[in-house]
Amino acid sequence: MTKPYVRLNKDDAAVLLVDHQTGLLSLVRDIDPDKFKNNVLALADIAEYFKLPTILTTSFEDGPNGPLVPELKAQFPDAPYIARPGQINAWDNEDFVAAVKATGKKQLIIAGVVTEVCVTFPVLSALEEGYEVFVIADASGTFNEMTRNAAWSRMEQAGAQLMTWFGAAGELHRDWRNDVEGLGTLFSNHIPDYRNLMTSYSMLTQGK
Amino acid sequence: MTKPYVRLNKDDAAVLLVDHQTGLLSLVRDIDPDKFKNNVLALADIAEYFKLPTILTTSFEDGPNGPLVPELKAQFPDAPYIARPGQINAWDNEDFVAAVKATGKKQLIIAGVVTEVCVTFPVLSALEEGYEVFVIADASGTFNEMTRNAAWSRMEQAGAQLMTWFGAAGELHRDWRNDVEGLGTLFSNHIPDYRNLMTSYSMLTQGK
Amino acid sequence: MTKPYVRLNKDDAAVLLVDHQTGLLSLVRDIDPDKFKNNVLALADIAEYFKLPTILTTSFEDGPNGPLVPELKAQFPDAPYIARPGQINAWDNEDFVAAVKATGKKQLIIAGVVTEVCVTFPVLSALEEGYEVFVIADASGTFNEMTRNAAWSRMEQAGAQLMTWFGAAGELHRDWRNDVEGLGTLFSNHIPDYRNLMTSYSMLTQGK
Amino acid sequence: MTKPYVRLNKDDAAVLLVDHQTGLLSLVRDIDPDKFKNNVLALADIAEYFKLPTILTTSFEDGPNGPLVPELKAQFPDAPYIARPGQINAWDNEDFVAAVKATGKKQLIIAGVVTEVCVTFPVLSALEEGYEVFVIADASGTFNEMTRNAAWSRMEQAGAQLMTWFGAAGELHRDWRNDVEGLGTLFSNHIPDYRNLMTSYSMLTQGK
Amino acid sequence: MTKPYVRLNKDDAAVLLVDHQTGLLSLVRDIDPDKFKNNVLALADIAEYFKLPTILTTSFEDGPNGPLVPELKAQFPDAPYIARPGQINAWDNEDFVAAVKATGKKQLIIAGVVTEVCVTFPVLSALEEGYEVFVIADASGTFNEMTRNAAWSRMEQAGAQLMTWFGAAGELHRDWRNDVEGLGTLFSNHIPDYRNLMTSYSMLTQGK
Amino acid sequence: MTKPYVRLNKDDAAVLLVDHQTGLLSLVRDIDPDKFKNNVLALADIAEYFKLPTILTTSFEDGPNGPLVPELKAQFPDAPYIARPGQINAWDNEDFVAAVKATGKKQLIIAGVVTEVCVTFPVLSALEEGYEVFVIADASGTFNEMTRNAAWSRMEQAGAQLMTWFGAAGELHRDWRNDVEGLGTLFSNHIPDYRNLMTSYSMLTQGK
Amino acid sequence: MTKPYVRLNKDDAAVLLVDHQTGLLSLVRDIDPDKFKNNVLALADIAEYFKLPTILTTSFEDGPNGPLVPELKAQFPDAPYIARPGQINAWDNEDFVAAVKATGKKQLIIAGVVTEVCVTFPVLSALEEGYEVFVIADASGTFNEMTRNAAWSRMEQAGAQLMTWFGAAGELHRDWRNDVEGLGTLFSNHIPDYRNLMTSYSMLTQGK
Amino acid sequence: MTKPYVRLNKDDAAVLLVDHQTGLLSLVRDIDPDKFKNNVLALADIAEYFKLPTILTTSFEDGPNGPLVPELKAQFPDAPYIARPGQINAWDNEDFVAAVKATGKKQLIIAGVVTEVCVTFPVLSALEEGYEVFVIADASGTFNEMTRNAAWSRMEQAGAQLMTWFGAAGELHRDWRNDVEGLGTLFSNHIPDYRNLMTSYSMLTQGK
């Protein structure tokens, strides 16, 4: 009767980045902008590093919501890019669902803006269809902590697993011996404390 | 064995506004007054915009609890208005339950003051009777965060879904193409950051 | 398949006050002392007002933990008073359990110091024995928020309902018409904002 | 050797509103947007209510900083409006200083975005020229509390007086008997708690 | 060139309690209501205990601001009571100033609601007239921390000393040997932690 | 249908200390360093005091992660010590799992750095294998509260019990009479408030 | 006209530790107990390390205030120890002042409990007498942040310099070359992060 | 008698970066690491952009304090670099003071780690020598807010001006027309919200 450990597996996972648009980002106030930007780019680096199929989608990018942040567009030039004409829940867009299904993956890693809408809605839809869903909570932002907490509650109740980008990286990598250099660089680029540890270490052991 | 997505549907939902009275509002200290007023009025605008049957109720409005805030009374002049003679749980009032049943809806969107009493009690009663219950957490206020958290815990355990007004609006609307202007105006009126985005956009694209 | 509303009923409930001792109270830092004192005395007034059987218990009251706060002893002179000789979980003390069973009640309202030990342990024991357990979270104190949150998690998982004293009072009273004066006085004594509302009201309607 | 009370006087004061532009407002994170919008509009209402000469100025309003929020433009259609071509410190703009001098007032009430630049710079310049300067701190916003605190420190050291809109209103009005209705309405429009008090009072004394 | 220690002296001090009215108290949100009520009553007990001349004043007590809290009226039945007909700054009311002068004291201990208006204005006026002014900051309340901080800044700049009720009590008492019992009781009534220390001590040394 | 109380039992429990390394500790920012150090050493003292089999493990201790904190190494010189060559989840290391199994215990008490990786991963693995898992949340640290909350959510969903070191000590000890001196000393060494209570008590009863 | 740097000098400074008593410590709630204990002991180590004359004093140590914490008594067995019979301001006690004068130092480093009384009062007295006064703010505790801030304001206005123990250590030491080992050990004992740095460094450079 | 505006002037200012070393950075806990790293690099970009003479200094960089963060070393390859052999106050190092004097500037912009030592000490020394000192508070870090506040108090009392990097940039630039592109890029690189504004603007006006 024990509960199975539903564990992220790099061969089973795809990444969905939902509505990280320049206008919508001004609504995000539950995470400091410097940190939030870092978290989103860290998740993007994870997707690229582990070669996870990645899907980009936006909502009304020609209007006040603004375009997708250019860094994401640049990092995934070949990713399916679904500019939704109106659907608020990305899962209501057939092209988006088709792109998800085309990945052939059963695990979905999702992040977006704002948490209770652009993340929660497709999370609930994907769970209903039987996907294993992992929310990258710190790459998802919203108006305030109350809004976030309510969104988390709803996703938890439905069976989503709440993670943050660092945990996802660790669970996907499994073993440092798979590539010390690569993961270390990723951490160094996104965790100032870790970068400092590496610099100190390197200075003492290699003199530079 | 996946969990169904119990999703707000504008054809299935009614709104219950419980005890937003001028005296009781002085007890609300878990949300800043400026923000709380905005959240309550945003929820009212949602109810009106989506033409959801709306029920108003108050507790002891002739005493220290004070009258219903006039804005709500003015916005829903034809809504059932149940001034409860004493029942603390609105669901213990037969007229209130009759009004709810008369809407013929199976989804109830509830907010009120204070969260752990005027919201939680009818939420638990409604769940017991089989309704799908959506709490608008940010249009519900109480003494402090501890009180709120305990109330949330009780409602979550019973199966209520915790939402905030922005998420409810998005889930009800489904697709911007249903009416860009209308929802945009609602957001502009209640989200200063969104209003700013719209103003900047409008200035750049229409010169005003 | 809906969930029944397990509702506090004044005929079914007993109150357990666990280890509100003068020494242990210096450990409580998750709630401000002025507020915490008020919350504990409000719960005591609820127990008295609704004539709920009440049981007092202490741990090592002759040592550094200190005596029970005198206000509680004075308010419940005839209550069973179990000075435990060593059991940390009050439920491990036979006299305590016997006193609980002697009340003949199936609902237990519990508060104490510190939350994760003196409250959580008997809560888990009582749930195991089939009681309906209601924790008065704001009359229970501990070292910090992290400690409290962990304790809440454990009690929630086991099926306890988290409440605060105001919610318990409302659920027990059911209808203001049962006694406006009595409950109003209780609220006035423990909620400064409510007292102010009542004073303003009284001045305007009775000129005093 | 006592210190004179440098007191706001409605006959001596002018209001400077600096760079409340739709783009720059997205930088403000030390005050919640709902509250900040309310504070700025309250200050505008004060300026209008006390008939204080008011000057509007913007920085680069055709670029990313965005246009002045339309509410301010609409409320002061005849106010001097200085769209600065590049000066970061409004006081470096000759037209702005000329407009200030044209008011003939010796007291300047200043608010703007962001606090440490658009407010602090002209505050320090105006103090240097001998004006009595009153900063409306809660109608001025910036990135975070640290930034704000540093700005406050600099302005305090230079002799500016830090106020908030409510205090300024009270100091300007001096005596309720000058106009109960007018100031009451202003407070009711910008302080939900005060509006509630007035509604309760009105209901009890006038039955509406 | 050292700075003299301007020290509270019970023979030189009077207490001014400004606008602690039931309606205005609903505006106070920078201090928790339980704690604030305790602080105000502690200051009142200090005034009575040290037999300091005390002056009560209110603003518009027949309107929404509400009556003075009854506890203060009851505790100082013979104190000058100035119901100001309209002056916002109590010092603009001749009767109030006359009452202050009639005390013949040079030190003024002031507290009130709200801090930046009802406290700050008379503080600045009294300083201008050469009084030594001591603000009891924790018996003075206002909308939020920003408002409080701005008010503190203004009063500090003008030379007021910021204190809290506990410090004032200690500075007035000078030596425990003047009356251990009396001051101990005052502390026990208003500091739960101190009461607990005294109860533990008493139990161990006197067995009760 | 009641839920059994899965209770820590000193005869059934082993302790797993995961990656408390000097480098990794610089990543911990959800708990203050003074407090966190105290919590970890308190847990170590609990393990030693109750003679619980204890297992130490580290990740990459020759690199930037740094060595195990020397206090732990010194306190458990004979404990199994698994310096993992690369596995991020300690449970993926066969020696670690073998060491756990060799204890013959069914209850695992786990703490480590960082919470969402070094704690959560082996917790989920151990639960899957049927162990009763107790997380010592306050001896586990991570980047920030959001990261911690997400980790807690995941562990709660899987059935782990969240505890803190003080609660674990109380549940393991069961009855003060088993050894007043020993547990009292442990508390005195790790809870300054408790130490103060004991010093005051000792002074009053033994004059020293 | 520049301001001289009044700098701590180990040959000119004495340390005054005021009322760090076991009972009074339960009143301290503006600093976490683990951290506060560490700060006080760090200051004691500084006094000992720099061989600064140190004076201990207590208030009513036979009553509820409790005895001096034993660690301080043990660390300074030969220090002047003034158990004040009643004076709240230590400077009102002739023996205390005599002990201060006997040190022959012009710089006083002061810390105590509670900040606004036991620290602030002697600070103001010592400044009046011309001493250079340095408050060790983080080894001084009080009820809450508001109380602390008011005490800081009063001490700043009178010319005291606010420091924390780490800054005092640095200013007294002047140059690491005076004794790397000694100061390093002091920091290692009281700053977990620094200890970790030293352990990592030592492991990499000395293999232990 | 007005106070002159002591204003940053790019021709008069030099930048001192003190002890931003990889080990010491692990002590910084009053600012989030992501934000702190950004602030330090923003200040470095300001120094480079405005071609301000810049001086780097470190304390014990071969020991646990660690090397200077490599980014700074790389950005200022030709800057005077004073690796202090032991002086805690950089101003006690003759080479450092000589380097400062060699710049010929009268305004010093200072930031460093930790605030109350490595920043405050040279700030006080420089003020004593008559320099105009501007502290970049958000590029200076320390243990916690209390430590920071005490350091700020000491520097304010001595006449330092507290600024943050954004304010310094604005005051140095004076007029956008001096170089829109350059300053805009600097802001875009260090303020995510500003970058988003620029991206939205650029998309709407240039379609990219």
Side-chain angles (χ1 to χ4, degrees), chain E residues 24 27 39 52 99 116 164 182 185 187:
Chain E
L24 292 175
L27 306 179
N39 292 346
L52 307 179
E116 76 276 26
T164 45
T185 300
F187 286 175

Side-chain angles (χ1 to χ4, degrees), chain A residues 6 11 13-14 22 25 27 43 57 60 67 71 75 85 92 119-120 141:
Chain A
V6 179
D11 297 329
T22 57
L25 282 163
L27 306 180
L43 175 57
T57 182
F60 258 142
E71 290 88 344
Q75 190 162 10
D92 285 343
V119 179
T120 301

